[in-house]
Amino acid sequence: MAPRKPVKSSPSLKEILAIRSALLQCVADCDGVPVFRLRHKIEHTQTPQELWMLRNDAYQLISHQHSQNVAAERINALIAVFEGWVEPRQLVRIR
């Protein structure tokens, strides 16, 4: 097992935009008022840790509009984006 990256202290604007973009892409093909609200939260969240906390909301919306398997695949794919920004123990895959 490869060692996880240490948590960085403060991301640049470019890094935050990349993380936001990845999270927004997960829900890009979802629609409705709840998705609009989540996109608004994502666009205004300032830290990787807060963005990671929104993954549960994204999971719920994706699983409702597609399936739990699709939602799990999309959220698990985000782990690589958040490595180094969130404590490794929080980067748990959805099964």
Side-chain angles (χ1 to χ4, degrees):
M1 202 189 280
R4 299 251 175 147
K5 299 176 187 176
V7 176
K8 302 173 194 171
S9 59
S10 61
S12 68
L13 178 58
K14 182 178 178 180
E15 291 166 323
I16 283 289
L17 291 175
I19 295 168
R20 281 185 191 150
S21 177
L23 192 50
L24 287 168
Q25 188 61 37
C26 282
V27 296
D29 61 350
C30 299
D31 56 11
V33 173
V35 178
F36 176 79
R37 288 184 185 133
L38 178 59
R39 287 183 184 131
H40 181 77
K41 286 180 187 178
I42 293 168
E43 290 168 356
H44 292 90
T45 299
Q46 299 297 316
T47 69
Q49 294 81 9
E50 291 170 338
L51 287 164
W52 180 247
M53 298 308 288
L54 294 175
R55 80 194 181 289
N56 187 52
D57 295 340
Y59 176 85
Q60 294 298 324
L61 291 170
I62 297 163
S63 64
H64 179 72
Q65 294 196 15
H66 296 286
S67 71
Q68 289 181 343
N69 288 337
V70 170
E73 287 174 11
R74 291 182 187 185
I75 299 304
N76 288 339
L78 289 174
I79 290 174
V81 175
F82 283 92
E83 280 187 335
W85 297 112
V86 176
E87 289 293 329
R89 69 179 179 273
Q90 293 180 343
L91 298 174
V92 178
R93 295 181 63 78
I94 298 171
R95 299 182 197 266

